[in-house]
Amino acid sequence: MLRSCKKSGYTLVEVMVVVAIMGVLSSMGVVSLRQAIENKRVAGAARNMAAFLEQTASESKRLSTPLCLTASGQKLLVTKGECLPDDDEGKKNVNSDPLFTFELEAPMSFSNTCPSFNGCGANDGCSVNLIINSNGEFVPRIGGSAVPSGYICARYANSNHYAAALKRLSENSVKALTGYSDDNSGMSGL
């Protein structure tokens, strides 16, 4: 009587094919995960910047006094009183100790440029100015927002992915926006 010999287990080739398939699938998952994390961080930064501008406006109304928004490195500082003229180095003078500050989480950083805002870019003459450079003064208004018209922009690491908080003169609220600098559609609201 002859017995047939059945093999048990997998061959080396079968194992290598399975490992290669798992590697390809996991690398696709890592790229998607990184993009999802970047999207969430940019959206969160946009919402936080908009909330910070609204908080500053509320504080200006509560105190019934102008507040000045200035940038210092990776922080935004809010001080009591009107914004003073620029000094010799091109920075705004700060009147007093900051009432409160706002700092972005790394790898987000503040940027002086932003993609266009639905056809109205920072350099298009649409009266959309960078708040911290041109008009960072929050003046309490009856029936209106104390937020000056303009925007604050942040960039994700060295990418072309941006977050912004935008206040138009014709609107009474601050919008949180995200977008890419190479995308012709402009920034989109959250």
Side-chain angles (χ1 to χ4, degrees):
M1 253 205 264
L2 293 173
R3 292 188 180 174
S4 66
C5 182
K6 291 186 176 184
K7 67 176 185 175
S8 63
Y10 301 100
T11 66
L12 180 59
V13 173
E14 292 171 333
V15 170
M16 288 175 58
V17 167
V18 169
V19 168
I21 291 171
M22 289 174 48
V24 168
L25 291 175
S26 64
S27 68
M28 290 187 321
V30 167
V31 170
S32 297
L33 181 62
R34 283 186 182 161
Q35 188 64 41
I37 289 171
E38 180 178 325
N39 289 341
K40 289 294 183 185
R41 285 190 179 175
V42 169
R47 286 186 185 105
N48 288 340
M49 289 188 302
F52 178 75
L53 293 179
E54 293 288 358
Q55 174 192 7
T56 305
S58 295
E59 191 67 12
S60 176
K61 283 184 178 183
R62 187 184 73 78
L63 296 173
S64 295
T65 187
L67 297 180
C68 183
L69 177 68
T70 57
S72 175
Q74 283 303 102
K75 290 183 181 179
L76 294 178
L77 309 171
V78 176
T79 56
K80 200 172 186 179
E82 296 176 359
C83 293
L84 297 175
D86 295 346
D87 63 13
D88 293 338
E89 297 176 11
K91 298 177 183 173
K92 289 190 181 211
N93 293 320
V94 179
N95 296 331
S96 60
D97 291 331
L99 295 173
F100 48 92
T101 62
F102 175 75
E103 187 172 2
L104 290 170
E105 288 185 31
M108 295 295 297
S109 61
F110 290 109
S111 175
N112 288 334
T113 59
C114 242
S116 66
F117 301 105
N118 296 328
C120 183
N123 299 320
D124 294 339
C126 297
S127 72
V128 178
N129 302 311
L130 186 62
I131 290 176
I132 55 178
N133 284 351
S134 58
N135 60 343
E137 194 165 287
F138 290 68
V139 179
R141 293 180 182 93
I142 297 174
S145 176
V147 180
S149 64
Y151 69 93
I152 294 176
C153 193
R155 183 178 184 184
Y156 186 85
N158 292 326
S159 73
N160 60 350
H161 202 175
Y162 290 86
L166 172 67
K167 167 66 170 72
R168 291 187 193 260
L169 188 58
S170 61
E171 297 171 354
N172 205 26
S173 63
V174 179
K175 290 184 178 179
L177 306 167
T178 63
Y180 292 88
S181 64
D182 60 355
D183 186 353
N184 292 331
S185 64
M187 304 282 271
S188 60
L190 297 175

